[in-house]
Structure formats: C-alpha cells, structure tokens
Amino acid sequence: MKATRALTDALLRIGPSILPFADAATVELPLGRLLRLALFQATVGMAAVLLIGTLNRVMIVELEVPAWIVAVMLSLPLVFAPLRALVGFRSDTHRSVLGWRRVPYIWFGTLLQFGGLAIMPFALLILSGDTTGPHWVGHVAAAFAFLLVGAGLHTTQTVGLALATDLAPAHARPKVVALLCAALLAGMVVSALVFGLLLANFSPVRLIQVIQGAALVTIVLNGIALWKQEPRDTSRSDKSAPRATFAESWRAYAGDGTARRRLVAIGLGTAGFSMQDILLEPYGGQILKLSVGQTTALTAMLAAGGGLGLMIAARWLNRGGDAFRVAAAGSVIGIAAFSAVIFAAPLDSARLFAAGVTLIGLGGGLFAHGTLTASMAKAGPEDTGLALGAWGAVQASAAGLAIAASGILRDVGAAVAQSGVLGEGMNEPAIGYLIVYHIEIAFLFATLIAIGPLVRAEASANTRVVRPDEGRTRLLTPKTLVNQPS
C-alpha cells in the first residue's frame, strides 16, 4: 500500500512536466474545463484549413473555378478582420437578461460559421458551372457563404480569447495562451489530415458530406466548449446602466503610450512570418526538387516548430519573463530561419531547408505567444474584448494582406529576373521566392525596432534604487517604493 501511494505521488509530481500544458490548470480553471474551452480554437483551425488549404485546391483543380475567382472568395473572410476590435468591445459591454456577455457572441459566431459551411458546398457546385441556371447565382451564394464563415470565425475567436482571459487568473495566462494556441495548431493539423483522406477520391457528393460534416463538428464542439463556462452576473441584465461608446473606449485604449506601437509590432511581425505560407511547398518542389510527400512533410515540421515555440514561451513567461522579449526572440529566430531557407537554394540543401522551416515555426510560435500574452496583460477587466479584438484585427489583417502580397511579389520578381533586367546572374527560377524571403527578413528587423521601446517601457516598471542605509543596490518595484518609510 505504501509503495502504491508513493508511486502515485511521484506520478502526480512529474505529470505536469511530461504532459505539455498540464500545469496550465488552476483552482479557478481546472484542466477539464480548460480543455473544453480550448475546443473553440480547434474549430477555428479547422475552418482556416478548410478555406485556405482544402477548398483552395478543390476549387481550382477539381471544380475548375478560375483562379482569380478563388482568390477573391478566399479573401472575403478578411473583410471582417478589422471589425474584431468592435466585436470585442461589444462583448465587453453587452447587457443580457441571462447575465452573460461573452457567451451570446460566441454562440452567434458559431451559428454564422455553421450556416456558411452548411450552404458552401452547394454554392461551390453552382459556381463551378454545374447548373442550368444563371452563373451569377453561384458567385453570390459562394460569396455569401465565405462571408458567413469569416464573420463567424473572427467573432468566435475574438470573444473566446476574451472569455479565457476572464476565467484564467493572471499568473496562469501565459500557460493558458500556450494551450489555446496549441489547440489551434492541433485543429489545423488534424483537420488537414482528415480532409485529405476523405477527399482522396473526390466527388461532388463527398465534397458536400465533408464540408457539412465540418459544419456539424463546429457547432457540436463549440457547444461543448461553452457549456457552464461563463458565470452569470445579474448586474449585466440592467440595460439602463450607462455604457461607454466604442469611440470613447478606443481613445482610452489607444491613449496608452505603448498601445499603438504594440499593434505596429504585431502587424510587422505577423506579416514577416506569414508571407511564406503559400510559398514554402512550391519553393521546395520547384527549386529543391522535393517530392510531393517531402513537401507535405513541411507542414508537420512547421507545426512541430510552432508547438515547441509555444512550450518554450509558456515556460519562459511562467518564470517571470517579459512577453515582449519573448516576441523579440521569436523575430530573431525568424531572421535566422529565413536566412537558412534562402541559402538552401544555392547550396542545394534539403536539410538546411527543413531546418529553416522548423525554425520558422519555432520563431512564429514564440512571437505569437509573446504578443498575445502582452495584449492580455495590458487589458483591464472591462476592456479585455477590445484589447484582444485589436490584437486579432491587426494579426488577421496583416496575415491576409501578407499572403496575398507574397504571391504577387513572387510572380513579379520572377518575371523581372527572367526578363534580364537584373542581369544574367539573377536569371534564376528561385529569384522570385528569394525576393519575398528577403522582404520577410526586413519586416522582422522592423519588428525588432518597434519592440525595443516596449521592452524598455516594461523594464521601467521596476526601478533600481540605491539605499544608502543598506550600502547595496536593491531592485524595488513602484509598489515597494510607495510602501517604503520616508
């Protein structure tokens, strides 16, 4: 009996160190409840993979939809990205007879996402020309479906992160952020594998089944995620209580000396890490002559690096690290990563390319975790949604614009190089890709410039003071200084 008890105690002690993010649980937010809450991130990842990955290929290859129409449809969800700050603000100030402020927005976001996915396969089939009616019906229906999914995706993620911030105590938020980001990553990887297997033998009926199955999974998992999460507060049912306007709240938020610089750093860094999203696999196949299986494995390497970055960031922040330093470290690793990817072409080294891809994931994980944690830390109890909405709006908009620009820059750069304007030595197939990777490095250097004052501002919260009576230097926080006797 004693031996069994000792073994159980030992397992309980080492459990958090073996299981990633197991120590993110607290008394206020137990592990089971936290894992349920993370399901909304998994459905967001599933929707992102379905739109950007699976449907991108299916629409162009199997349904033979013109590429420019596909590009327009896939960009429509970005229309709602700038509105995330407004959605977050509305969830901060929502008055409900049920006493909730976050749950209604997450639920209606889920319904929007479900509705868009439910009608999407039929709209795509009409868009492909498989109809006897007018073609404009397919264009309108597909645009409406993509808009619904985009609105639901952005609403669910923004308010879901705000709810997680409400529920998690301040000391546990870095670990909670890591778990939520890992859930997003896991949702993307698992859904990509499942969609690939289910659509291996493509047919219109199978397309309908897969997309509508994703709609069903979305509403079921988000329902489980919301169950008994937000406590009801009867004071929120008073609709006559005074409320600040969005303009007033935004001025107060943006009036913070570091808020605008923080958003600029988030935008630059996100653009720096996102431009490669649609280029790494073609670069590996066209320039390094990798097989389809080898280029597909790049996604796993990127995800593995991202997961490692999240775990390192969570441990670093849990030990009292500065979130901006974590983000800066991610940017530095990103610069090294893109340098490795660039040199892989002249060296014809697939191993160097694989290492660079893994480091991109590592740096991106550190940067995403650091900036999201910093946004959470700067949010007050009454403007959490606004702060996280601003983070999401900048992050999503920068990523979307960067991905769109990368394809254009790659094509234009390749055309200029092949025209001979840059000289004979630059007339190489890799030049278009390398131009984009160099621009990403420039973005990451600009990110470091933007983050530098933020690190100094965070460090100034602690003041190093020499106490003559003690004869040594002590590190005193502002609170300690106030409590010191005169």
Side-chain angles (χ1 to χ4, degrees), residues 340-364:
V341 171
I342 289 171
F343 282 107
L347 296 175
D348 193 23
S349 174
R351 291 184 177 179
L352 183 60
F353 179 53
V357 171
T358 305
L359 287 176
I360 290 173
L362 175 62

Side-chain angles (χ1 to χ4, degrees), residues 29-30 71 103 133 170 174 191 223 263 279 295 299 311 319 348 352 358 377 404 429 441 482:
L29 193 60
V103 168
S191 59
L263 294 178
L279 297 181
T295 57
T299 303
M311 288 190 286
R319 293 178 176 177
D348 193 23
L352 183 60
T358 305
I441 291 176
V482 170

Side-chain angles (χ1 to χ4, degrees), residues 465-474 476 484-485:
V465 179
V466 177
R467 294 293 302 272
D469 57 321
E470 295 178 353
R472 65 181 185 273
T473 300
R474 289 185 59 195
L476 299 177
Q484 289 296 322

Side-chain angles (χ1 to χ4, degrees), residues 11 13-22 311 315:
L11 290 175
R13 283 194 300 271
I14 67 175
S17 63
I18 293 179
L19 299 176
F21 315 117
M311 288 190 286
R315 185 175 294 274

Side-chain angles (χ1 to χ4, degrees), residues 461-463 465 467 470 474-485:
N462 293 329
T463 306
V465 179
R467 294 293 302 272
E470 295 178 353
R474 289 185 59 195
L475 184 63
L476 299 177
T477 64
K479 181 178 178 181
T480 309
L481 290 172
V482 170
N483 294 332
Q484 289 296 322

